[in-house]
Amino acid sequence: MGVGIIGLGKYVPEKVLTNHDLESVLDTTDEWIRSRTGIEARHIAADDENTSHMAIKATQIAIDNAGIKPEQIGLILVATVSPDQGFPSVACQLTEHFGIQCAAMDIAAACSGFIYGLVTAQQFLENNSYEYVLVVGVEKLSKVTDWNDRNTAILFGDGACAAVMTKVSEGRGILASELGADGSGGKHLYLNEENHIAMNGREVFKFAVRQMGESAVQVLEKAGLQKEDCDFLIPHQANIRIMEAARERLNLPEEKMSKTVHKYGNTSAASIGLSLAEELEQGKIKDDDIVVLVGFGGGLTWGAVTIRWGK
Ligand code: UT7
C-alpha cells in the first residue's frame, strides 16, 4: 500500500494588498517588487481573523473533498510559525472547533513545514497508527511582519491549506521524501525580539537556489525516477527567481511549474499546499502524474516529496 493525499482545501483572506498599496507607505516601487520577486499582490487577514480561523476554513474544504467525517481523523498536524498563541496549538484549536478528540500538534519548520507534515503523517499511516491524518499549513504572517521594513514587508502574505492523508494503492502517493535542517543558517531568517520577521535576503536567496534544485533532483532519484519523469513541480512560492532556478535544474517547461506567488506572495507553511490545491482545481495535475513538492525556509530547513498522484 502507498500513502497519499485524498482531499485538499485552500483558503485566502478577502483583503488584497497590492504593490501599489505598498508604494504609498514604503520606499519601494511596484516595478522593483515585480522584477526582484515576481510578487504583484498578497492577501491579508482582517484584524479579527486569526491563524486558527483560516485553518478551520481550509480544513472544512479538505475533509469535504476527502468525503470523511472529522471524527475519523486520528492525528492533526499543523505547520505554522504564526499560531494564535504559543499554546494551545492551532492543532488543538481545530479539535475544539470540529468537536473531536485526537492526537494534535503544531510543527515549526517555517516554509518547509507542510512537507514536514506530509512526511510525518506518512509514518503514522504506514505503521497503521491512524486511518486518516490531517495536515494543515497556515500563516498569518501579516501580524509578524514589520510594515516599516521594505526588505521583508513586500514579500509575505496570509493563507491556509489542508490535506487529508490516508492509505492509497501500491505505487501511488508519496514515493520518496527528503527532510533537512542546518541551524547554522538560523541567523539569516528568524523572528526577532519584537516578534517581527528579520532576514538577510541575499544569504537566504543563495541557500534557496542551491537547496531547492538539489532537493528536487534527489527526491526524484530516491524514487528511482529521472528529471524527465517529473510532470509537475510545486516549489515553495518565495520568489519567482528562486522558483525558476529549481525549474531549470529539472529542465521543465514553464507550464509544468506551479506559480501563485504573483497573487499570494510568500505564505510560508501555506504556500506549497495552497499552490497544489489550486493546480488541482484547475485540472493541471492528472491521475498518475509525478509531482514534486519542494520547499525551504527559516531554520534553515528544507524538504521535498515525490508523489504519484491518485488513489
Ligand atoms: O520563505 C523564505 C523567505 N525569504 C526569502 O525567500 C528571501 C530570499 N531572498 C530574496 O527573495 C531576495 O534576496 C530579496 C527579494 C529579498 C531581495 O532581492 P535582491 O535582488 O537580493 O536585492 P538586494 O537585497 O541585493 O538589494 C538590492 C537593492 C539594495 O540597494 P543597494 O544596496 O543596491 O543600493 C536594497 O537596499 O535594492 C534595495 N531594496 C529595495 N528597493 C526597493 C531592498 N528592498 C527594496 C524594496 N524596494 N522593497
Side-chain angles (χ1 to χ4, degrees):
M1 294 294 268
V3 164
I5 297 169
I6 59 155
L8 268 164
K10 73 173 177 33
Y11 171 79
V12 285
E14 222 172 275
K15 185 180 164 193
V16 177
L17 184 71
T18 65
N19 293 349
H20 292 293
D21 296 329
L22 288 174
E23 276 179 343
S24 57
V25 288
L26 282 172
D27 179 17
T28 191
T29 60
D30 170 56
E31 204 284 324
W32 191 96
I33 304 172
R34 266 174 210 256
S35 60
R36 299 286 178 129
T37 71
I39 298 168
E40 295 165 26
R42 66 290 287 144
H43 289 244
I44 303 292
D47 287 347
D48 61 353
E49 183 172 43
N50 220 331
T51 307
S52 59
H53 302 132
M54 293 190 278
I56 287 165
K57 295 223 167 89
T59 296
Q60 186 64 60
I61 298 167
I63 58 180
D64 288 348
N65 284 341
I68 65 159
K69 296 193 181 75
E71 51 270 30
Q72 290 177 274
I73 297 168
L75 168 66
I76 300 177
L77 300 169
V78 177
T80 186
V81 291
S82 50
D84 293 14
Q85 65 271 307
F87 65 90
S89 63
V90 176
C92 285
Q93 290 174 291
L94 286 176
T95 67
E96 184 190 14
H97 175 83
F98 288 100
I100 58 174
Q101 292 182 356
C102 66
M105 63 176 168
D106 286 1
I107 296 175
C111 312
S112 315
F114 186 68
I115 307 262
Y116 267 75
L118 295 181
V119 178
T120 307
Q122 179 193 7
Q123 315 310 311
F124 282 109
L125 291 163
E126 276 178 359
N127 74 16
N128 298 313
S129 296
Y130 306 111
E131 199 181 345
Y132 296 99
V133 179
L134 174 75
V135 180
V136 176
V138 60
E139 302 288 3
K140 185 176 176 178
L141 294 177
S142 57
K143 71 178 175 187
V144 291
T145 298
D146 178 354
W147 289 104
N148 297 312
D149 176 13
R150 69 175 185 173
N151 290 306
T152 52
I154 56 151
L155 294 176
F156 301 106
D158 300 335
C161 67
V164 174
M165 294 182 69
T166 193
K167 291 227 171 106
V168 294
S169 332
E170 185 69 38
R172 298 280 178 102
I174 297 178
L175 303 182
S177 65
E178 154 139 336
L179 300 177
D182 177 2
S184 69
K187 56 184 175 290
H188 299 316
L189 182 56
Y190 59 97
L191 272 188
N192 65 19
E193 279 174 9
E194 285 87 46
N195 210 33
H196 285 147
I197 300 169
M199 184 181 79
N200 180 338
R202 282 181 206 185
E203 286 301 323
V204 177
F205 190 93
K206 278 192 281 179
F207 161 78
V209 164
R210 192 188 65 243
Q211 195 60 52
M212 290 260 277
E214 267 171 28
S215 295
V217 170
Q218 277 167 16
V219 88
L220 278 164
E221 280 173 4
K222 271 191 186 175
L225 298 167
Q226 317 284 325
K227 288 184 203 174
E228 43 280 12
D229 296 317
C230 180
D231 294 303
F232 217 86
L233 175 68
I234 317 257
H236 169 42
Q237 307 283 310
N239 180 323
I240 192 70
R241 291 152 58 208
I242 299 171
M243 293 157 55
E244 284 295 338
R247 180 177 74 75
E248 279 161 21
R249 185 83 191 267
L250 293 185
N251 300 327
L252 281 179
E254 236 175 89
E255 65 275 13
K256 289 195 169 190
M257 180 181 78
S258 178
K259 196 190 105 187
T260 58
V261 69
H262 59 295
K263 53 181 177 176
Y264 301 142
N266 179 346
T267 58
S268 189
S271 110
I272 293 172
L274 202 53
S275 280
L276 178 62
E278 191 141 323
E279 301 304 348
L280 279 165
E281 273 173 20
Q282 292 176 6
K284 295 218 195 118
I285 295 172
K286 297 180 189 62
D287 212 37
D288 236 25
D289 273 356
I290 294 292
V291 185
V292 171
L293 317 187
V294 61
F296 70 94
L300 295 170
T301 57
W302 60 92
V305 287
T306 303
I307 297 176
R308 184 180 291 280
W309 199 258
K311 299 183 194 173

